[in-house]
Amino acid sequence: MDFGLVLQADPPASAVVGLMRRAERNGFRYGWTFDSAVLWQEPFVIYSRVLEHTERLIVGPMVTNPGTRTWEVTASTFATLNEMYGNRTVCGIGRGDSAMRVAGRKPNTLARLGEAMGVIRDLAEGREAQVDGSALRLPWVRDGKLPIWMAAYGPKALALAGEKADGFILQLADPYLTEWMIKSVRTAASDAGRDPDAVKICVAAPAYVGDGTPESLAHAREQCRWFGGMVGNHVADLVTRYGEHSGLVPEELTEYIKKRQGYDYAHHGRSGNPDTAFVPDSIVDRFCLLGPPEAHIEKLRALRSLGVDQFAVYAMHDAKESTIDAYGEVVIPALN
């Protein structure tokens, strides 16, 4: 099982680079950041520094989208990093939530996302692709490699991930929902004539390592409650699109957002988010990994048994360094 670290690109960028270096020293293989140009610093600039100061870490956005940059620019940026540092990037991509909405735009359609994934991959790997009716190719690319991993929750998005993506990113760590969604992705891959086991599975969620006391657990919940609000933002879109009791989205995912009253992106992905008071403790416990290292290991073993290839730690809390170190000392060795 691989491990990744997910950070926001808050200034100073040197702190992001330092945490990524710490993660590599502790056995993490992937370094991810959010990608929302208004809310955070430009991640691709930071990736160049991370790659320069690490040896093996694979970096990429969790997630970019096909609307904030033109596709040839996205492909060229990845290809440049790969040429400089040896194919050590991965493109996490989705419809675009914060990046698009903060800028006053709607998230991209799945049709546009599906087309963009193929174009960005082809261009970054040196093949010709059609962009707005024009045939383009990056003539300087040699032996480029860019896996495309798609974030998804809803049935149509899960199907698209199975049909076209190299990997699937699920932003929650509930074993029941993970099993349901992996099955959807792999069924779609099989129906499309692909090897379903070839689609990599990445679960991403906050992890907070504590000492196991009730006080420590309560603190960890408050530090990670924001995540239920962020997931709820996507779930609200699904309820709008499919209905509350459509059978197309598990009620285990939709039930908890009934008391949701709105969302302010000024607090997006941050502990203490006032828009997440509706998230109950039970959802925080199900979606996140909290408690002593043994509790993390138990849940990760359950996720691994479902076919999860990577667990990516969201570290948007007050214990970034200690959680990274605890994973390196105890959790990662136990899973590998």
Side-chain angles (χ1 to χ4, degrees), residues 254-273:
T254 61
E255 184 68 21
Y256 85 97
I257 69 162
K258 288 183 177 180
K259 296 182 180 179
R260 178 182 180 272
Q261 296 182 347
Y263 195 83
D264 183 355
Y265 282 95
H267 308 286
H268 187 59
R270 301 189 184 277
S271 60
N273 186 334

Side-chain angles (χ1 to χ4, degrees), residues 206 208 216-227 269-273 284 288 290 316-320:
Y208 195 108
S216 174
L217 179 58
H219 180 74
R221 284 173 176 153
E222 292 311 312
Q223 287 290 305
C224 299
R225 197 175 304 276
W226 65 266
F227 185 66
R270 301 189 184 277
S271 60
N273 186 334
V284 182
C288 305
L290 312 175
M316 292 80 178
H317 50 57
D318 62 2
K320 296 179 180 68

Side-chain angles (χ1 to χ4, degrees), residues 172-332:
L172 55 81
D174 176 70
Y176 172 82
L177 293 171
T178 298
E179 182 176 22
W180 189 89
M181 293 189 185
I182 289 176
K183 181 179 179 180
S184 297
V185 169
R186 289 190 165 154
T187 297
S190 180
D191 290 346
R194 305 178 67 196
D195 177 2
D197 294 328
V199 181
K200 295 293 185 181
I201 307 295
C202 173
V203 162
Y208 195 108
V209 178
D211 60 14
T213 63
E215 294 79 12
S216 174
L217 179 58
H219 180 74
R221 284 173 176 153
E222 292 311 312
Q223 287 290 305
C224 299
R225 197 175 304 276
W226 65 266
F227 185 66
M230 188 186 81
V231 174
N233 206 42
H234 297 289
V235 175
D237 284 346
L238 297 179
V239 171
T240 299
R241 188 173 299 113
Y242 297 107
E244 188 175 340
H245 302 291
S246 64
L248 296 173
V249 181
E251 291 191 16
E252 289 83 356
L253 188 59
T254 61
E255 184 68 21
Y256 85 97
I257 69 162
K258 288 183 177 180
K259 296 182 180 179
R260 178 182 180 272
Q261 296 182 347
Y263 195 83
D264 183 355
Y265 282 95
H267 308 286
H268 187 59
R270 301 189 184 277
S271 60
N273 186 334
D275 297 322
T276 60
F278 71 94
V279 180
D281 288 351
S282 59
I283 287 294
V284 182
D285 292 348
R286 287 175 56 190
F287 286 9
C288 305
L289 277 75
L290 312 175
E294 295 75 18
H296 293 245
I297 292 167
E298 180 181 3
K299 193 166 189 177
L300 287 167
R301 283 176 173 159
L303 292 170
R304 184 177 62 180
S305 71
L306 298 174
V308 174
D309 299 291
Q310 179 186 158
F311 176 64
V313 175
Y314 275 114
M316 292 80 178
H317 50 57
D318 62 2
K320 296 179 180 68
E321 291 86 354
S322 61
T323 294
I324 292 169
D325 292 347
Y327 263 66
E329 293 167 7
V330 183
V331 178
I332 293 176

Side-chain angles (χ1 to χ4, degrees), residues 118-148:
V119 168
I120 292 169
R121 184 197 291 115
D122 282 343
L123 290 176
E125 295 184 350
R127 294 183 295 275
E128 183 179 287
Q130 291 287 322
V131 181
D132 295 328
S134 297
L136 300 181
R137 188 175 69 85
L138 304 182
W140 48 270
V141 173
R142 298 289 183 273
D143 301 318
K145 187 67 177 176
L146 182 65
I148 305 288

Side-chain angles (χ1 to χ4, degrees), residues 20-21 24-25 28-29 49-59 85-88:
M20 291 298 186
R21 295 180 69 187
E24 183 181 61
R25 291 196 300 270
F28 288 73
R29 190 177 173 214
R49 293 289 289 174
V50 172
L51 289 166
E52 182 181 4
H53 289 284
T54 57
E55 296 179 358
R56 300 171 302 280
L57 205 68
I58 297 168
V59 304
Y85 300 106
N87 288 338
R88 288 168 54 200

